[in-house]
Amino acid sequence: MKETNPHLGGGKITGDKLTSTYDLVEQMQYLYVRVVKAKELPAKDVTGSCDPYVEVKLGNYKGTTRHFEKKSNPEWNQVFAFSKDRIQASMLEVTVKDKDFVKDDFMGRVLFDLNEVPKRVPPDSPLAPQWYRLEDRKGDKVKGELMLAVWMGTQADEAFPEAWHSDAATVTGTDGLANIRSKVYLSPKLWYLRVNVIEAQDLQPSDKGRYPEVYVKATLGNQVLRTRVSPSRSINPMWNEDLMFVAAEPFEEPLILSVEDRIAPNKDEVLGKCAIPMHYVDRRLDHKPVNTRWFNLERHVIVEGEKKKETKFSSRIHTRICLEGGYHVLDESTHYSSDLRPTAKQLWKNSIGVLEVGILNAQGLMPMKTKDSRGTTDAYCVAKYGQKWVRTRTIIDSFTPKWNEQYTWEVFDPCTVITIGVFDNCHLHGGDKPGGARDSRIGKVRIRLSTLETDRVYTHSYPLLVLHPNGVKKMGEIHLAVRFTCSSLLNMMHMYSQPLLPKMHYIHPLTVSQLDSLRHQATQIVSMRLSRAEPPLRKEIVEYMLDVGSHMWSMRRSKANFFRIMNVFGGLIAVGKWFDQICNWKNPITTVLIHILFIILVLYPELILPTIFLYLFLIGVWYYRWRPRHPPHMDTRLSHAESAHPDELDEEFDTFPTSRPPDIVRMRYDRLRSIAGRIQTVVGDLATQGERLQSLLSWRDPRATALFVLFCLIAAIVLYVTPFQVVALLTGFYVLRHPRFRHKLPSVPLNFFRRLPARTDCML
């Protein structure tokens, strides 16, 4: 990662401040042409009508509007944008033509001298279009008028997102143009749906001579959950079991409850079902109880081969159903999130600041596909924070694309993460057909807001790293400008004392398995909804941004997490080694100083806690000089991506369930068993030490417990009659005694502890 010093908004960064009031991106100049409509166009066809369209031409770049059939007063209202960097002409030509099978007829044109085009800078109002009389090729006026607006502007112009760009002149078709434009998406509002299935009454199984094995199947869209089989084998079964779903606004599908009887293995009989529209379901924002409700069950019967007919009968089901908005619906990794607010907007608190991100450019991108026998890349960026997703425009056929687009988010919690991903667009030339190409991953960047200083502009070039089956690969670099502006420092500091998640997560906590299931459901819903937008934010994009699949087994990730734990305990291990050196008098001067400090603390115990906190304060101040100056970024060493074995990477990229040959699966299974055996041994050793502690007073070993109880009695008497300072001094001097007074054999307490019984001898 490299720090840069770009020109932003026409100004230059001086220290941490901008010398101009422009935004966080470099200004890019564009010539805008808005073609509004035409009137009184002359007839060109035999039928006495015309099929007009407009061609906007500037040098070698040419854009066309859609054409209208048999219309002399068409309305297009389309905008064309020509990058000033690529303008190689002095005149703009806007021509009206008549669509024909053989050759399009010329109807008239309007010419503009680029030196006379006005400039517009937002927040100025949009330039008003004007009527222009059409001219023939000689410059004489002809019949027909064209309403136009022509101006010079920047990417901050309102017309920029929907404009046809000269950079994408090779893209044709409405779908292709829609797929290259920048867009803002909003994730659907997600709720937890809690279905508490209590009981059912008066069921009517087909076989009256057997005890029914009844369970309830609940269906919401693509989500299907089942209760356990009721332990009361009767026509009035009871469950009192919670089923949790994720529901998204607007609620499109009803909740369907189906009571079924398991009459044989893999064979179930539907005893009744009911459909509950979601707008009938109560909404709960806090932990207040929700009233229960009875629903009548309807049964499907077949009458003489006709269609299924619904009949109502006396069976009914007792449930408690509510939409819970007091939770935060986790649609991201458990280790980081871009939003920690509850679903219900009524529970939101005021924002603490604003996050501004300028997506400037990329450098050194790799060719992602082949076109006309050469490598090419059509890159675009996606950024996700909170409910808001943004997508930049696609830069066609460039390994050094320049976006220079800026986006803003409200911030409600500083301990959140923004994710920026770079992708190759594979849907510009018919890729939207069934089975078409998937947009390729170029890489992504994650930035935690709490690591940023407020009101500082961070301009860095981040490496784009992607893990492939053949190893980690740098796909290029992305250049970003980031600024986190805090509206109230006091409010932000107060956030550090608040619970990370909404209080419903603590009052009615969800189990780990429930959270995993709900997170998967939420991801699928968000992916499905965003893929239905126009242009779609496709499933592969959403899943990559949300780290879907990060919970899958990976030898590389497991080793990385193990070494992370070792690194965490490394400080404690270093303190232990240092203390061992003190006890063994490796450095006599240091040991004598520790003795003096120890005597002072024992004689004045009220100084113990102040000394500890003063020591921590001094350490913190000392480490301030080495504080991170840049936002953290992907670390290939920490991820063990550089040293991963090829077979481990192949296993990580394998499908689930596996698609590898049986001999490879057998080898990997044996390897996994070996590793799991070592983990099992470590966990067993930890459990053994804990059980030995428990056995001190459990009388599993009567002699050992008797010795310990007797020792406790003697220790209580001695400690009662002996001043605490004397006991502490004697204990400290004993621990810090010189090596010549030490024995090579283990101490008596350690020998006693190791002889205590654990429950390992009771295991099969």
Side-chain angles (χ1 to χ4, degrees):
M1 191 170 68
K2 296 174 291 188
E3 188 170 10
T4 60
N5 193 19
H7 290 263
L8 300 183
K12 189 176 182 181
I13 294 181
T14 304
D16 294 338
K17 302 295 182 181
L18 282 174
T19 58
S20 75
T21 57
Y22 290 101
D23 293 337
L24 295 181
V25 293
E26 180 183 349
Q27 280 204 358
M28 301 175 67
Q29 298 292 325
Y30 287 89
L31 172 67
Y32 288 98
V33 181
R34 181 184 294 278
V35 180
V36 183
K37 57 185 176 180
K39 65 179 181 181
E40 299 177 0
L41 295 179
K44 290 290 183 179
D45 298 339
V46 179
T47 58
S49 62
C50 61
D51 306 326
Y53 71 93
V54 175
E55 178 183 276
V56 182
K57 187 176 181 182
L58 183 63
N60 295 326
Y61 294 102
K62 180 173 64 177
T64 58
T65 67
R66 61 189 182 278
H67 80 278
F68 289 95
E69 294 186 1
K70 300 179 180 179
K71 198 167 186 178
S72 58
N73 298 303
E75 292 188 16
W76 295 283
N77 200 26
Q78 288 183 243
V79 181
F80 298 84
F82 298 87
S83 175
K84 186 178 180 181
D85 295 340
R86 300 188 179 185
I87 294 178
Q88 298 178 347
S90 59
M91 296 294 291
L92 169 69
E93 182 179 351
V94 183
T95 307
V96 182
K97 293 186 177 182
D98 176 47
K99 190 78 172 177
D100 209 339
F101 290 107
V102 181
K103 185 180 179 181
D104 297 342
D105 296 326
F106 175 87
M107 302 178 69
R109 68 180 181 181
V110 180
L111 297 177
F112 294 89
D113 187 345
L114 296 188
N115 295 321
E116 299 178 0
V117 172
K119 291 185 178 181
R120 174 185 176 252
V121 179
D124 291 351
S125 298
L127 189 67
Q130 301 180 31
W131 285 106
Y132 293 89
R133 188 74 177 269
L134 297 179
E135 301 176 352
D136 58 16
R137 299 187 189 279
K138 298 179 181 179
D140 298 331
K141 302 295 183 181
V142 296
K143 184 181 179 183
E145 293 183 72
L146 184 63
M147 180 177 279
L148 295 171
V150 181
W151 72 95
M152 293 295 298
T154 67
Q155 73 270 35
D157 202 290
E158 296 90 345
F160 180 80
E162 298 295 332
W164 173 95
H165 286 269
S166 58
D167 299 344
T170 58
V171 178
T172 58
T174 305
D175 293 340
L177 290 174
N179 274 312
I180 67 171
R181 288 172 175 159
S182 57
K183 290 291 180 182
V184 175
Y185 305 82
L186 291 178
S187 294
K189 191 175 182 181
L190 302 178
W191 295 72
Y192 281 150
L193 174 66
R194 188 186 296 269
V195 182
N196 179 225
V197 183
I198 303 173
E199 59 179 330
Q201 284 186 353
D202 302 326
L203 299 180
Q204 298 179 10
S206 58
D207 186 358
K208 307 291 185 181
R210 58 178 287 274
Y211 293 109
E213 299 181 17
V214 184
Y215 66 91
V216 176
K217 182 173 73 174
T219 306
L220 181 67
N222 296 326
Q223 307 170 55
V224 180
L225 296 176
R226 293 177 173 85
T227 67
R228 67 188 188 280
V229 174
S230 173
S232 57
R233 306 292 180 86
S234 67
I235 63 172
N236 298 313
M238 297 188 67
W239 296 276
N240 197 24
E241 187 173 342
D242 274 354
L243 303 177
M244 296 287 291
F245 297 89
V246 177
E249 293 185 5
F251 304 118
E252 298 175 347
E253 303 96 352
L255 172 67
I256 299 175
L257 299 180
S258 174
V259 182
E260 302 187 10
D261 180 16
R262 185 164 296 159
I263 57 180
N266 300 322
K267 185 177 181 182
D268 301 323
E269 178 191 12
V270 178
L271 302 181
K273 64 170 57 177
C274 65
I276 305 171
M278 295 300 293
H279 60 270
Y280 287 158
V281 177
D282 296 330
R283 300 193 181 194
R284 184 169 73 168
L285 306 183
D286 51 25
H287 59 280
K288 294 180 181 178
V290 177
N291 295 329
T292 61
R293 298 175 65 180
W294 288 92
F295 293 96
N296 293 324
L297 296 174
E298 299 175 347
R299 191 169 187 174
H300 291 272
V301 295
I302 300 178
V303 183
E304 297 178 357
E306 297 178 0
K307 294 182 179 180
K308 292 184 178 181
K309 180 182 178 183
E310 293 184 355
T311 60
K312 293 186 178 180
F313 60 112
S314 59
S315 298
R316 56 183 188 161
I317 187 170
H318 191 197
T319 62
R320 180 185 290 107
I321 306 174
C322 63
L323 285 164
E324 299 187 339
Y327 288 95
H328 163 52
V329 181
L330 302 167
D331 61 340
E332 295 164 84
S333 171
T334 53
H335 307 297
Y336 64 87
S337 180
S338 63
D339 188 9
L340 298 168
R341 294 171 298 170
T343 296
K345 202 166 185 178
Q346 299 92 317
L347 302 177
W348 288 8
K349 298 179 180 178
N350 294 331
S351 65
I352 61 168
V354 172
L355 172 66
E356 299 166 279
V357 177
I359 303 176
L360 304 179
N361 55 64
Q363 299 289 332
L365 297 185
M366 304 294 290
M368 302 300 296
K369 56 180 177 284
T370 303
K371 181 182 178 183
D372 299 332
S373 300
R374 65 181 183 86
T376 182
T377 297
D378 305 322
Y380 67 94
C381 292
V382 174
K384 197 265 184 198
Y385 184 78
Q387 286 188 306
K388 180 178 174 181
W389 299 64
V390 300
R391 169 179 176 162
T392 68
R393 72 190 190 282
T394 300
I395 305 299
I396 305 300
D397 192 16
S398 175
F399 300 134
T400 57
K402 291 185 177 181
W403 294 285
N404 283 302
E405 298 182 26
Q406 181 175 340
Y407 299 95
T408 305
W409 289 267
E410 272 192 301
V411 177
F412 294 86
D413 194 309
C415 301
T416 46
V417 173
I418 182 172
T419 305
I420 301 105
V422 186
F423 303 90
D424 175 51
N425 198 329
C426 298
H427 295 81
L428 302 181
H429 306 284
D432 285 334
K433 297 177 182 177
R438 293 162 58 91
D439 288 355
S440 303
R441 307 169 178 178
I442 300 179
K444 66 181 172 185
V445 176
R446 285 194 292 263
I447 301 175
R448 185 174 289 271
L449 270 59
S450 59
T451 63
L452 304 177
E453 298 177 14
T454 55
D455 299 318
R456 174 182 172 185
V457 179
Y458 288 85
T459 53
H460 289 84
S461 183
Y462 299 82
L464 297 170
L465 305 173
V466 174
L467 190 65
H468 292 285
N470 56 354
V472 68
K473 188 174 184 180
K474 181 180 177 182
M475 308 295 290
E477 297 178 356
I478 183 172
H479 195 189
L480 302 175
V482 182
R483 177 172 55 205
F484 173 37
T485 305
C486 175
S487 56
S488 171
L489 182 61
L490 188 62
N491 288 342
M492 186 170 67
M493 291 302 185
H494 176 66
M495 288 299 301
Y496 282 88
S497 66
Q498 300 300 302
L500 193 65
L501 295 173
K503 65 180 182 180
M504 283 289 284
H505 283 274
Y506 307 99
I507 298 175
H508 293 296
L510 304 172
T511 64
V512 174
S513 58
Q514 278 182 322
L515 286 175
D516 287 342
S517 173
L518 293 170
R519 188 176 297 110
H520 174 73
Q521 294 176 19
T523 302
Q524 296 303 312
I525 290 174
V526 171
S527 173
M528 181 181 65
R529 288 290 181 91
L530 294 183
S531 65
R532 288 162 50 186
E534 184 59 43
L537 203 59
R538 293 178 175 80
K539 182 178 180 180
E540 64 267 23
I541 307 300
V542 176
E543 290 184 348
Y544 182 59
M545 297 290 288
L546 297 181
D547 273 351
V548 173
S550 61
H551 64 285
M552 297 293 291
W553 160 259
S554 163
M555 180 75 75
R556 172 192 63 83
R557 204 176 284 121
S558 300
K559 288 195 294 187
N561 287 335
F562 172 76
F563 284 104
R564 284 173 61 200
I565 292 176
M566 294 303 297
N567 188 45
V568 169
F569 287 111
L572 296 177
I573 295 172
V575 171
K577 291 180 177 179
W578 172 80
F579 187 72
D580 184 66
Q581 292 175 356
I582 295 297
C583 294
N584 288 282
W585 293 70
K586 299 286 185 180
N587 189 336
I589 298 177
T590 305
T591 305
V592 170
L593 292 175
I594 291 297
H595 275 82
I596 296 172
L597 177 63
F598 172 69
I599 293 171
I600 294 174
L601 294 179
V602 171
L603 295 178
Y604 302 97
E606 64 274 9
L607 296 179
I608 294 177
L609 290 178
T611 302
I612 292 174
F613 285 105
L614 179 62
Y615 183 63
L616 294 176
F617 168 77
L618 293 175
I619 292 176
V621 172
W622 179 256
Y623 282 165
Y624 179 77
R625 55 195 293 190
W626 293 293
R627 69 191 185 279
R629 302 300 178 93
H630 311 303
H633 185 50
M634 307 289 186
D635 191 336
T636 55
R637 291 185 178 179
L638 180 67
S639 306
H640 277 247
E642 295 177 336
S643 57
H645 190 274
D647 182 68
E648 295 173 359
L649 292 174
D650 182 71
E651 180 184 27
E652 184 171 344
F653 282 90
D654 191 8
T655 58
F656 186 84
T658 182
S659 58
R660 297 295 182 263
D663 54 340
I664 295 180
V665 176
R666 185 182 299 111
M667 180 271 293
R668 291 175 178 171
Y669 176 62
D670 290 339
R671 180 176 62 191
L672 183 59
R673 288 175 63 191
S674 173
I675 296 170
R678 279 178 266 168
I679 296 174
Q680 170 185 291
T681 302
V682 172
V683 173
D685 290 341
L686 292 174
T688 296
Q689 309 311 320
E691 289 170 352
R692 283 173 175 166
L693 282 173
Q694 290 178 338
S695 66
L696 284 171
L697 296 172
S698 66
W699 295 91
R700 292 193 70 236
D701 184 341
R703 285 163 293 279
T705 303
L707 287 172
F708 180 70
V709 170
L710 182 61
F711 168 78
C712 290
L713 177 61
I714 296 172
I717 296 171
V718 172
L719 293 175
Y720 179 75
V721 300
T722 307
F724 174 76
Q725 285 88 345
V726 175
V727 176
L729 281 173
L730 292 176
T731 304
F733 287 147
Y734 176 77
V735 172
L736 298 171
R737 67 193 184 278
H738 198 273
R740 71 175 60 182
F741 301 113
R742 295 178 182 272
H743 298 286
K744 299 296 184 181
L745 297 177
S747 63
V748 173
L750 188 58
N751 290 331
F752 178 78
F753 183 77
R754 286 178 176 173
R755 289 178 177 275
L756 291 172
R759 301 185 63 85
T760 51
D761 50 350
C762 300
M763 295 183 63
L764 292 174

